[in-house]
Amino acid sequence: MRPYESDEKQISLPLRLRQAIAKLGADIAVARRKRSLTIGMMAERIGVHKNTYLKIEKGDPSVSFGIYAMALLFLGYPMHSRLSPSCRDDTGLLLDADHLPKRIRPPKEPKHYEAHDRRLSR
């Protein structure tokens, strides 16, 4: 990766999102230090290179979401407790669940009846 690519990705993200990712990385760094774990130990345990783990602690948005999730899981944070406030669907909660269909299907194509076609061709 070129040095400037990461900067371009951060610029394209909204400020609040960049701040949230940076805070998540800083929180992971504090949690690691509280547990007396080295960067190498964390990287090995979550299955990434040291440089990738350092990007996590810096809050680099180019790191895969799954890698952040593995770091949180290893540190003992269940994913639902750390991420659920950001995944709340207020609009969806307003919808009445009783009136929602159980399945969503695409509209059916109109059927052409062969018998009807045969009668017209006679």
Side-chain angles (χ1 to χ4, degrees):
M1 179 189 297
R2 296 181 187 117
Y4 60 87
E5 286 182 346
S6 179
D7 294 337
E8 286 179 3
K9 289 179 184 177
Q10 286 183 348
I11 291 170
S12 66
L13 294 176
L15 176 62
R16 291 182 72 173
L17 183 56
R18 282 185 284 153
Q19 290 172 337
I21 295 170
K23 173 144 179 30
L24 178 60
D27 291 347
I28 289 172
V30 168
R32 174 188 58 81
R33 289 194 309 261
K34 283 182 179 179
R35 288 162 178 76
S36 300
L37 298 170
T38 66
I39 290 170
M41 291 165 75
M42 277 296 293
E44 182 181 334
R45 290 178 184 174
I46 65 174
V48 297
H49 192 272
K50 283 184 190 180
N51 293 339
T52 302
Y53 182 76
L54 285 170
K55 287 181 181 183
I56 291 171
E57 289 194 356
K58 290 178 183 176
D60 187 334
S62 69
V63 176
S64 166
F65 179 76
I67 296 172
Y68 277 97
M70 282 297 296
L72 289 170
L73 185 66
F74 177 74
L75 291 168
Y77 292 104
M79 289 302 298
H80 65 276
S81 68
R82 182 69 187 191
L83 300 174
S84 63
S86 63
C87 298
R88 215 171 133 197
D89 182 12
D90 293 328
T91 305
L93 293 174
L94 295 174
L95 298 173
D96 187 4
D98 293 335
H99 298 303
L100 294 176
K102 291 186 189 237
R103 297 176 92 187
I104 306 293
R105 298 180 185 176
K108 292 183 179 179
E109 295 282 328
K111 292 184 180 179
H112 296 293
Y113 295 100
E114 290 180 24
H116 184 322
D117 292 341
R118 276 187 251 150
R119 278 187 286 169
L120 292 176
S121 63
R122 289 184 192 177

